[in-house]
Amino acid sequence: MEQVVQQIVGGLATGAIYACIALSIVMIYQAIDHLNFAQGEMAMFSTYIAWQLMHWGMPYWGAFFLTIAISFVLGYAIERIVFKPVHNAPVLSHIVIFIALFVIINSMAGFIWEFTIKPFPTPFGTKPVLGGGILSAHGAGMIAVTGIMLVMLYAFFRYTRVGLAMRAASANPDSARLVGIRVGFMNALGWGMAAAIGAVAGIMIAPVVFLEPNMMVTILLYGFAGAVVGGLTSPGGAVFGGFAVGVIENLASFVPQFGAEMKLTIALALIILVLTLKPNGLFGRKIVSRV
Amino acid sequence: MSTPLLSAKNLRAFYGPTQILYDIDFDMHAGGITTLLGANGAGKTTTLRALSGMVKTAGEIRFDGKLISNKETADIVRLGVAHVPEGRGTFVRQTVEENLQLGGITQPAGQIAADIDLVFTYFPRLKERFRQQAGTLSGGEQQMLAIGRALMLRPKVMLLDEPSFGLAPLIVQEMFGILRRLNQKEKVSMFLVEQNASLALELADHAYLLETGRVVMSGPAKELSQDENIRRAYLGY
Amino acid sequence: MKTTSPVTVLIAAIGATVITLAQNWKLAGFIFILIVGGLFPLMASGVFTFQITQLLIYAIAIAGLNLLTGFNGQFSLGHSAFYAIGAYVSAVLMTQLDMPFYLTIPIAAAVCFVFGFLFGLPALRLEGIYLALATFALAIATPQILKFKPIEHLTGGVQGLALFHLKPEAPFGLQLDQDQWTFYVTFAVTILMFFFAFSLVNSRSGRAMKAIRDNHIAAKVTGINLSLFKTLTFGVSALFTGVAGALSAMLIAFVAPDSFQITLAVAIFVGMVVGGVGWIPGAFLGALFILFVPNIAEHIAFGLAAFFDFVRKFIPFFPTIGEQSSKGLTGTVYGVFLILLIYVMPSGLAGLLRLAVQRLAQARS
Ligand SMILES: Nc1ncnc2c1ncn2[C@@H]1O[C@H](COP(=O)(O)OP(=O)(O)O)[C@@H](O)[C@H]1O
Ligand SMILES: [Mg+2]
């Protein structure tokens, strides 16, 4: 029993990261109606930026916040430079662009920083904070950072005019234009914010998985799983889904024969299972597909 | 006469390769109410969408003397053109309050509260529904909300797309009364698209008649309401 | 009396053939392809023959995906899974049961059809982007499933299965090396599969598939069994891709989990979009792209790396470029190619061709 509790707590820590990624997926999905397959790579690249800043001697939190700012600008720029010109292209072409971005960002990281694994610091330390050592200080820190970010995002969307405008632009672009909202600008803002959230996720997970260009590929899949479990239209659901996937993944290690090797397959099965039973996720609304 | 507030010259509009409007010309002057009449499918909605830059157009559209034909919708709106679209364009998942705030999203934050109060003086019903999700309002209430939302822009002109659509006759009467007051008290000029010709001609001072994308008749509203053909085809007596 | 000389007969025969072919350009084209394909490996180098064989295999896989996406409106970013299943079924049958390669192709096809059909069932409930996601997950999980311990004795686990000693030889004492013979086998299968694809698309079933793609509700009203057609299409699509996988097992003579990464699924997808969604012959253009453009990108990257090395002589801070980094540059160049391609032709080569035809028609009228 105690073991189960330990696994659940441990799952919450990794779940916090999946929740971050799931949240940034949902944010972009809300803004542009697409799943961004390059989301994980953007987060990875941001993490490298943080590493570089620290490597140049910047203190951890300075690098942390500067990276968030830079990532925001990069995300914004990607929308404006890469996506705006092909706004009216078919959906399949958009997916190809996501794939291209994925390849470019991944390769650029390798080009600039080499493909070798780098250790990444944690500001929280690694001492265990809970009995049995299942939750480290870093794990607790990740959960806390995710929590703070969620509260801030909620406040932003709920109480600011820009947040309201962003919600309106994604819910009903035509009407949003008719009240004078520049929908394209809002999309780009959404990209910027998603990139910033991804940066936080990357910086938080890097001490656990180490820094390398492919660090995010599987985490992205878990993020997708989290977003799907929660429902792509529900930011809160995405966060719940992220935590749920983290816990389920950890509990799955009890299943004999499966263990660690089949974790990815579990994520796959989870995605398919949830989608089959509840095609719009646990908390999602029906999506009128434009595809 | 002064320069028109809103005018179109040789206005053509397209959905993809299909042309919908053919060389439309019109002028409307500040302070007035102009109505555009026509049967279903004549191109009334398309004309409004052309004016606010939502369809591909050719030709010239001027607002306040400025050429706006190639501007983005949001920029046209910011000049003071409030378009109340067909189907009302409600933000259904947002509250009534948020809908009104969105209407004034381009205005200074300081004036929002006062402007919402102004909307309440015309549409007291919205005050009762203030915190409610807008999608749960009745059709008539949503139409009021749409006009209230447009009012939040402090517009120079309102483009109204069939505000009577789907409403009970009594509510339509009330609505048109409010429109008249808005025109007189708030100095909002109006470009009104209607299928309900008799009501529109009563309210408007000037009228255009659209048939399959072309203006086939125009003149003072009084004159048009006397015209034999219009009476037979659109007024039904 | 004049006797007809053999020359006259020959000329008459050739003339008759030419006239028949001119009237029937499809037949003419087919014969032309047969001749070119038949002569090709005898004249090309071994490496080139190998590459073109790979091209045909990719084309089959892409055509399979195109049947699903272009003609039925369903997404897949997971076709590497079916490619892998095809390859593994063929490899396992050859290694475990000593089955001859040729026999494994139809079995691989059947197995993939079943898997595709089964995957199509949950896919039924998924719209657009969700389906893309589910299939994306399938592609990512595939290598892991192939490495799964309990089936290691069949699949060879991480190491995979080597098939070099099982590669089929040319029969009847034909003087062909293995690669040449592999080409002929692939060529024959390609013709068969594309013939199947064209007939399917133009059949009643094909029209039903397209009706579903274009309008669900209308298709339902006309009495098409929506679910059945969608899952069947998924099966057929997987079948095509599985056949391609089986052929690739023979060509490469080796199967291993890491050959079937998400990158393969992505390549098939990119090939389909580049060639043109909903246009069967586009599969060859798409295959051409995914086979050769990465190479071109690599050459450009080498050039760029050399250029950067040159620049570094003058700018001391410029980062050093190692062996690995030029690999990074390759990906970047490839990605930029892809984006530019979408900019220039948002609907792929098929879209471009259609546009060109339209323009020509307009210019004429
Ligand atoms: N999105 C569209 N795409 C293509 N044709 C359209 C579209 N919207 C309207 N139309 C066509 O344009 C014509 C005018 O439509 P509309 O302006 O809505 O007429 P009205 O508002 O006068 O009823 C109609 O023939 C209609 O079929
Ligand atoms: Mg209309």
Side-chain angles (χ1 to χ4, degrees):
Chain A
M1 190 58 217
E2 196 175 316
Q3 250 189 341
V4 174
V5 172
Q6 282 181 0
Q7 291 292 342
I8 290 177
V9 175
L12 286 178
T14 34
I17 295 314
Y18 303 156
C20 272
I21 292 286
L23 184 64
S24 58
I25 290 166
V26 166
M27 294 231 10
I28 287 210
Y29 185 77
Q30 298 275 20
I32 61 170
D33 234 22
H34 282 326
L35 288 179
N36 180 359
F37 288 92
Q39 187 80 63
E41 301 313 285
M42 287 164 59
M44 173 274 295
F45 200 86
S46 298
T47 313
Y48 267 107
I49 294 176
W51 179 87
Q52 186 69 68
L53 292 174
M54 285 185 247
H55 191 69
W56 282 336
M58 195 176 270
Y60 184 92
W61 290 109
F64 180 86
F65 287 110
L66 186 56
T67 301
I68 291 178
I70 295 173
S71 304
F72 180 88
V73 173
L74 287 179
Y76 183 90
I78 287 178
E79 202 281 338
R80 294 280 90 170
I81 296 166
V82 182
F83 272 90
K84 200 172 161 229
V86 288
H87 199 75
N88 293 320
V91 182
L92 292 171
S93 301
H94 283 180
I95 295 185
V96 170
I97 298 246
F98 282 122
I99 289 167
L101 273 181
F102 185 106
V103 175
I104 291 176
I105 298 173
N106 186 292
S107 319
M108 286 284 278
F111 172 57
I112 300 174
W113 291 289
E114 306 273 301
F115 287 90
T116 47
I117 289 176
K118 293 179 169 55
F120 197 90
T122 162
F124 308 112
T126 47
K127 270 182 290 178
V129 292
L130 276 184
I134 199 69
L135 186 66
S136 68
H138 182 75
M142 286 201 287
I143 296 178
V145 168
T146 310
I148 293 169
M149 197 165 67
L150 286 177
V151 171
M152 282 171 58
L153 275 174
Y154 178 79
F156 171 78
F157 281 112
R158 186 74 186 72
Y159 299 112
T160 70
R161 297 183 98 198
V162 183
L164 178 61
M166 281 179 74
R167 277 190 287 149
S170 84
N172 195 340
D174 280 340
S175 289
R177 282 189 194 94
L178 288 182
V179 296
I181 293 170
R182 296 199 171 100
V183 172
F185 175 69
M186 291 299 148
N187 287 350
L189 272 190
W191 270 82
M193 287 180 62
I197 299 169
V200 174
I203 292 173
M204 286 295 123
I205 193 79
V208 183
V209 299
F210 298 111
L211 183 57
E212 53 114 1
N214 295 320
M215 68 184 252
M216 280 307 209
V217 177
T218 52
I219 293 174
L220 177 71
L221 188 64
Y222 289 123
F224 275 145
V228 166
V229 168
L232 279 174
T233 50
S234 159
V239 171
F240 170 85
F243 279 111
V245 169
V247 171
I248 292 170
E249 178 204 5
N250 256 25
L251 288 180
S253 55
F254 285 123
V255 183
Q257 287 287 10
F258 260 58
E261 337 165 24
M262 293 302 278
K263 279 183 170 182
L264 267 180
T265 314
I266 293 164
L268 161 76
L270 201 63
I271 288 180
I272 294 176
L273 188 74
V274 170
L275 285 181
T276 311
L277 298 179
K278 282 209 77 175
N280 302 306
L282 298 180
F283 304 101
R285 240 164 330 115
K286 173 141 182 62
I287 295 172
V288 183
S289 178
R290 296 185 201 167
V291 173
Chain B
M1 239 183 157
S2 58
T3 55
L5 177 68
L6 183 64
S7 68
K9 248 193 202 74
N10 286 327
L11 178 63
R12 282 154 282 156
F14 308 82
Y15 285 116
T18 340
Q19 184 163 1
I20 305 290
L21 300 182
Y22 299 85
D23 300 309
I24 302 235
D25 291 325
F26 73 80
D27 287 333
M28 81 168 273
H29 289 272
I33 299 181
T34 299
T35 184
L36 182 66
L37 304 174
N40 210 353
K44 305 181 298 295
T45 297
T46 308
T47 308
L48 290 194
R49 292 171 68 85
L51 292 178
S52 48
M54 297 171 80
V55 288
K56 202 175 76 178
T57 60
E60 232 177 57
I61 305 169
R62 285 180 184 278
F63 178 68
D64 243 356
K66 280 190 284 283
L67 197 65
I68 59 166
S69 332
N70 291 318
K71 278 193 190 288
E72 299 255 334
T73 303
D75 295 318
I76 295 172
V77 171
R78 283 159 190 247
L79 292 173
V81 180
H83 183 157
V84 181
E86 190 173 59
R88 301 162 188 138
T90 314
F91 296 97
V92 287
R93 285 178 57 81
Q94 273 67 43
T95 62
V96 169
E97 178 183 17
E98 287 174 327
N99 267 270
L100 291 176
Q101 285 172 343
L102 280 166
I105 198 109
T106 56
Q107 306 298 306
Q111 75 187 40
I112 300 298
D115 284 358
I116 288 181
D117 282 340
L118 181 76
V119 170
F120 287 160
T121 61
Y122 288 95
F123 304 107
R125 194 92 54 86
L126 293 181
K127 192 169 190 171
E128 297 159 27
R129 304 268 184 264
F130 199 46
R131 308 252 174 232
Q132 205 166 312
Q133 236 188 35
T136 64
L137 299 186
S138 75
E141 288 165 343
Q142 285 198 31
Q143 189 63 57
M144 293 174 190
L145 180 59
I147 296 173
R149 201 178 63 215
L151 201 56
M152 293 295 294
L153 186 71
R154 297 196 173 177
K156 293 188 176 124
V157 64
M158 264 191 204
L159 312 179
L160 296 151
D161 199 338
E162 301 203 32
S164 72
F165 187 82
L167 302 186
L170 242 114
I171 300 181
V172 174
Q173 289 290 347
E174 190 191 334
M175 189 79 70
F176 274 63
I178 295 172
L179 289 180
R180 188 188 298 280
R181 280 199 289 144
L182 283 175
N183 175 247
Q184 287 167 354
K185 290 210 181 119
E186 310 301 330
K187 307 285 175 247
V188 183
S189 311
M190 289 179 182
F191 192 85
L192 173 68
V193 156
E194 261 303 336
Q195 275 197 67
N196 189 335
S198 56
L199 262 175
L201 286 172
E202 212 173 284
L203 183 68
D205 42 59
H206 216 82
Y208 290 83
L209 180 62
L210 204 59
E211 262 171 29
T212 53
R214 292 176 179 82
V215 171
V216 291
M217 196 184 285
S218 69
K222 283 243 165 53
E223 271 174 35
L224 257 75
S225 57
Q226 303 301 319
D227 186 276
E228 266 304 307
N229 295 322
I230 294 230
R231 281 172 61 159
R232 213 171 308 122
Y234 295 95
L235 300 176
Y237 57 86
Chain C
M1 284 273 319
K2 270 206 280 183
T3 49
T4 44
S5 75
V7 179
T8 348
V9 173
L10 192 66
I11 290 174
I14 291 175
T17 318
V18 167
I19 289 168
T20 324
L21 290 184
Q23 282 167 345
N24 192 344
W25 60 269
K26 272 188 189 163
L27 185 65
F30 182 64
I31 289 176
F32 177 73
I33 290 173
L34 276 188
I35 293 172
V36 170
L39 294 179
F40 166 76
L42 304 177
M43 316 212 281
S45 73
V47 176
F48 196 47
T49 305
F50 183 92
Q51 282 180 324
I52 295 302
T53 313
Q54 181 69 68
L55 184 137
L56 296 180
I57 293 174
Y58 279 150
I60 295 173
I62 293 170
L65 180 57
N66 215 341
L67 286 175
L68 183 71
T69 308
F71 293 91
N72 199 216
Q74 302 189 74
F75 273 129
S76 171
L77 272 174
H79 262 45
S80 58
F82 305 118
Y83 197 90
I85 294 172
Y88 264 92
V89 165
S90 176
V92 170
L93 289 176
M94 282 196 279
T95 50
Q96 298 289 322
L97 302 180
D98 293 326
M99 202 180 266
F101 169 71
Y102 313 106
L103 212 56
T104 69
I105 300 181
I107 298 180
V111 171
C112 284
F113 176 82
V114 172
F115 267 98
F117 186 85
L118 292 179
F119 196 83
L121 289 175
L124 270 182
R125 301 205 45 181
L126 306 183
E127 295 275 323
I129 210 74
Y130 284 120
L131 185 55
L133 195 58
T135 51
F136 178 76
L138 176 68
I140 292 209
T142 298
Q144 260 205 350
I145 298 174
L146 291 175
K147 290 174 195 167
F148 196 34
K149 278 264 155 41
I151 52 169
E152 204 168 18
H153 61 283
L154 287 177
T155 60
V158 184
Q159 259 84 51
L161 299 167
L163 310 167
F164 300 105
H165 53 294
L166 298 168
K167 231 178 155 169
E169 299 280 351
F172 317 125
L174 286 172
Q175 293 298 306
L176 297 167
D177 65 29
Q178 282 180 336
D179 280 344
Q180 283 169 327
W181 178 240
T182 305
F183 172 86
Y184 283 122
V185 174
T186 308
F187 184 62
V189 175
T190 308
I191 289 176
L192 209 68
M193 296 310 286
F194 275 82
F195 180 73
F196 178 27
F198 280 119
S199 328
L200 179 65
V201 167
N202 293 320
S203 70
R204 270 179 63 115
S205 309
R207 280 195 294 279
M209 280 162 61
K210 283 179 268 187
I212 290 170
R213 171 196 65 188
D214 295 334
N215 193 336
H216 263 197
I217 298 158
K220 211 172 213 163
V221 171
T222 53
I224 294 170
N225 185 338
L226 221 72
S227 316
L228 184 65
F229 265 98
K230 286 179 87 168
T231 37
L232 277 179
T233 309
F234 224 112
V236 170
S237 172
L239 181 151
F240 270 74
T241 309
V243 167
L247 289 170
S248 87
M250 169 185 66
L251 177 67
I252 317 283
F254 178 62
V255 294
D258 289 333
S259 319
F260 307 103
Q261 307 253 9
I262 177 79
T263 38
L264 176 64
V266 164
I268 298 173
F269 182 84
V270 167
M272 176 190 64
V273 176
V274 168
V277 180
W279 189 51
I280 298 277
F284 291 99
L285 299 175
L288 207 63
F289 183 90
I290 61 176
L291 192 60
F292 290 110
V293 172
N295 280 345
I296 298 172
E298 196 172 352
H299 283 297
I300 294 178
F302 273 129
L304 276 178
F307 173 72
F308 286 147
D309 275 342
F310 175 73
V311 171
R312 198 157 39 91
K313 288 192 181 125
F314 304 98
I315 306 170
F317 301 115
F318 208 79
T320 328
I321 288 151
E323 175 94 0
Q324 286 217 311
S325 295
S326 79
K327 175 178 143 205
L329 264 183
T330 305
T332 311
V333 173
Y334 179 66
V336 171
F337 266 1
L338 269 184
I339 291 183
L340 290 180
L341 197 90
I342 297 294
Y343 279 11
V344 179
M345 29 189 194
S347 304
L349 286 161
L352 199 70
L353 286 177
R354 208 175 306 128
L355 206 69
V357 171
Q358 250 174 32
R359 287 279 153 80
L360 272 178
Q362 266 173 12
R364 245 188 244 169
S365 67

